[in-house]
Amino acid sequence: MADYVAFLRAINLGATRKFDKAAIVAATEGAGFTGVATHINTGNVRLTTRLRSRERVRDVLEAAYLADRGFAVPVAVLTPEELRQAVVDGHALAATMPEGWDGRAYASLLRDEPTPEGVAALEACSTEDELAVVRGRVAHLMVRGYGTSRMTNVAVERQIGVSTNRALSVVEQVVTKWC
């Protein structure tokens, strides 16, 4: 049995994309996963499965969520070790920011493996005040203000594909709770 953490993209936004925690758990269990738990209502899901392929886990979840909700729910699936490393990397990158930097750290969790060209294009968008660095299947964003930044999940998706964004502090909470 393998443990994974799935991050659902674009749920609970507006009136038509509702997917509460209880419904997520029911749909995930209905798809054959065990040990299912959620963390806050933004689509963070821990699960255990006999499936060994991350892509297969993702595909089964996406099909189950589409069947349950009637709309597509892209999913980024990471291992507990990948999440632990994302927290370590995020803190290390935040420490490289200029003295007096008062920004925040975010992690865009990637649905698919990024291409080297996409990674280079995203990282080239970095400035003195905003940093984008990709490590594995996580794009780290160091920004002053997410609402005013050019470095958002939209920029990540434009360069390297479907992803879902979480504050690094939320990823850290998930790691503390489940990893």
Side-chain angles (χ1 to χ4, degrees):
M1 300 291 274
D3 293 327
Y4 292 97
V5 180
F7 295 89
L8 285 57
R9 181 185 178 282
I11 63 163
N12 299 326
L13 302 172
T16 61
R17 297 192 58 88
K18 298 295 182 198
F19 202 4
D20 67 44
K21 293 186 329 181
I24 292 169
V25 170
T28 305
E29 289 175 341
F33 298 98
T34 60
V36 178
T38 60
H39 175 71
I40 64 178
N41 209 29
T42 58
N44 311 298
V45 185
R46 182 200 173 280
L47 57 93
T48 301
T49 181
R50 292 188 186 280
L51 299 175
R52 295 292 179 195
S53 161
R54 170 201 328 267
E55 291 75 18
R56 183 74 180 123
V57 171
R58 178 200 65 212
D59 293 347
V60 169
L61 288 172
E62 288 180 350
Y65 298 156
L66 176 61
D68 186 80
R69 294 286 105 177
F71 56 81
V73 179
V75 179
V77 178
L78 284 85
T79 66
E81 181 54 38
E82 288 173 316
L83 289 175
R84 281 190 291 271
Q85 189 60 51
V87 170
V88 169
D89 291 343
H91 286 295
L93 290 167
T96 69
M97 296 306 288
E99 187 174 331
W101 181 75
D102 60 352
R104 294 199 52 200
Y106 293 88
S108 285
L109 308 154
L110 306 173
R111 180 182 182 273
D112 300 305
E113 194 71 34
T115 66
E117 299 80 15
V119 170
L122 177 65
E123 290 179 349
C125 296
S126 295
T127 67
E128 183 177 304
D129 289 334
E130 298 182 340
L131 177 67
V133 177
V134 180
R135 296 286 185 262
R137 295 198 33 225
V138 180
H140 294 277
L141 307 177
M142 307 295 148
V143 301
R144 288 205 186 274
Y146 196 80
T148 60
S149 174
R150 293 179 320 121
M151 199 67 68
T152 64
N153 203 57
V154 171
V156 172
E157 289 192 323
R158 189 174 298 129
Q159 301 299 334
I160 57 180
V162 175
S163 61
T164 187
N165 192 268
R166 303 290 188 274
L168 185 60
S169 60
V170 171
V171 177
E172 192 167 26
Q173 291 167 12
V174 167
V175 167
T176 299
K177 188 173 185 177
W178 292 332
C179 303

